[in-house]
Amino acid sequence: MINSTFILTIFNPLLFLSELGSGFEKETLVQIILILALALIALVSFDVWRILKKKGKGTMWRPFFRLKLEVFLDKDRVLHPQVLTMTILNAGKREVEIEAPVLEFRKIWSKRKFKLNGINGNYIYPMLINPGDKHQLFIETNRFHQYDNEIKSFYWARIYVTDLEGRKWKSNDVKLRKSLVT
C-alpha cells in the first residue's frame, strides 16, 4: 500500500511540511527564527559594506546631492533649419562634468545618432560646468547632410547628454520638417 505521507509530498508539499512542523516545540521555532534573522542581518550588512566600499563619487549619497541640468535645443527657422543651438544650463548646486553630447535625428522608425566632439576639429568634451553657468553649441545641419543626404528626410532632432557618473538628460524635440503625422 502507498504511505499517506508519500501521497502528501507528491500532491501537496506545504501540507506535508505543516504536519512535519507540528511536532516542533516553541523553543525550537524561536531558535530557527533567530538563526534566519541573523542570516538576514549578515546579508544586509554585507550589502551596505559593499555600497560604502565603492562609494567613490557619491553612489550612496546620490539622492542628497541635487544635480540639475536643463538641456534645450533651438532652431533658427521654423522648417528645414540650418543651425541648431544646444544650450546646457547647470541649475543645480554642484558642478557637473559632462561627456560629449549625442545628436539624434529621428524619423518614424529610423534613428541616426551623431556624437558631437567639439568645434572646428577641437575636442572640448568632457567639460566641467559650474553651478549657474551655461554652455552653448551651434550645430550646422549642412555638415550632417553632407555626411548622409538621407538625414534631410528626418522629422525630429534631439540631444542626449550624460555626465561621467552615468546620469542622463535629454532635450526637447525639435521639428525639422513637415510630415503626415505632425
Side-chain angles (χ1 to χ4, degrees):
M1 246 295 126
I2 298 177
N3 192 358
S4 64
T5 57
F6 179 71
I7 293 173
L8 286 175
T9 57
I10 290 176
F11 295 115
N12 195 353
L14 293 177
L15 187 60
F16 171 72
L17 289 176
S18 67
E19 274 198 26
L20 183 66
S22 65
F24 288 132
E25 295 178 5
K26 289 182 181 179
E27 293 84 17
T28 310
L29 291 176
V30 169
Q31 289 175 353
I32 291 173
I33 290 172
L34 285 176
I35 290 172
L36 290 175
L38 289 175
L40 182 67
I41 289 171
L43 287 175
V44 168
S45 62
F46 175 73
D47 280 343
V48 168
W49 175 76
R50 188 176 47 108
I51 289 171
L52 289 176
K53 181 180 164 187
K54 70 172 192 178
K55 187 170 106 175
K57 293 189 175 185
T59 54
M60 183 174 170
W61 308 110
R62 183 177 289 178
F64 302 111
F65 295 130
R66 184 84 172 141
L67 292 179
K68 186 176 180 185
L69 281 184
E70 296 175 1
V71 182
F72 302 108
L73 188 63
D74 297 323
K75 56 186 178 177
D76 61 343
R77 289 200 238 161
V78 176
L79 295 176
H80 303 287
Q82 293 184 356
V83 176
L84 298 174
T85 305
M86 175 193 70
T87 305
I88 301 173
L89 174 66
N90 185 358
K93 296 181 179 179
R94 295 183 49 186
E95 65 269 351
V96 178
E97 193 166 2
I98 61 169
E99 291 181 356
V102 176
L103 175 64
E104 178 186 67
F105 291 101
R106 287 187 306 130
K107 241 184 187 178
I108 296 184
W109 289 291
S110 303
K111 292 181 182 180
R112 289 296 308 263
K113 293 183 178 183
F114 296 95
K115 190 178 237 184
L116 307 173
N117 289 325
I119 303 169
N120 297 329
N122 298 325
Y123 293 103
I124 61 172
Y125 297 104
M127 173 184 283
L128 185 71
I129 301 177
N130 292 320
D133 289 349
K134 74 177 181 178
H135 166 66
Q136 280 191 337
L137 182 67
F138 299 103
I139 305 162
E140 295 178 6
T141 56
N142 290 336
R143 184 166 292 234
F144 299 105
H145 296 166
Q146 290 172 0
Y147 181 74
D148 187 3
N149 203 16
E150 188 179 319
I151 292 177
K152 287 183 181 180
S153 65
F154 282 52
Y155 302 129
W156 301 283
R158 177 185 283 175
I159 295 281
Y160 291 97
V161 176
T162 59
D163 67 347
L164 293 180
E165 294 179 20
R167 295 182 199 95
K168 298 178 182 178
W169 294 272
K170 63 181 177 180
S171 72
N172 55 324
D173 283 336
V174 170
K175 186 191 235 182
L176 300 175
R177 67 190 274 298
K178 285 263 193 198
S179 69
L180 294 174
V181 179
T182 60

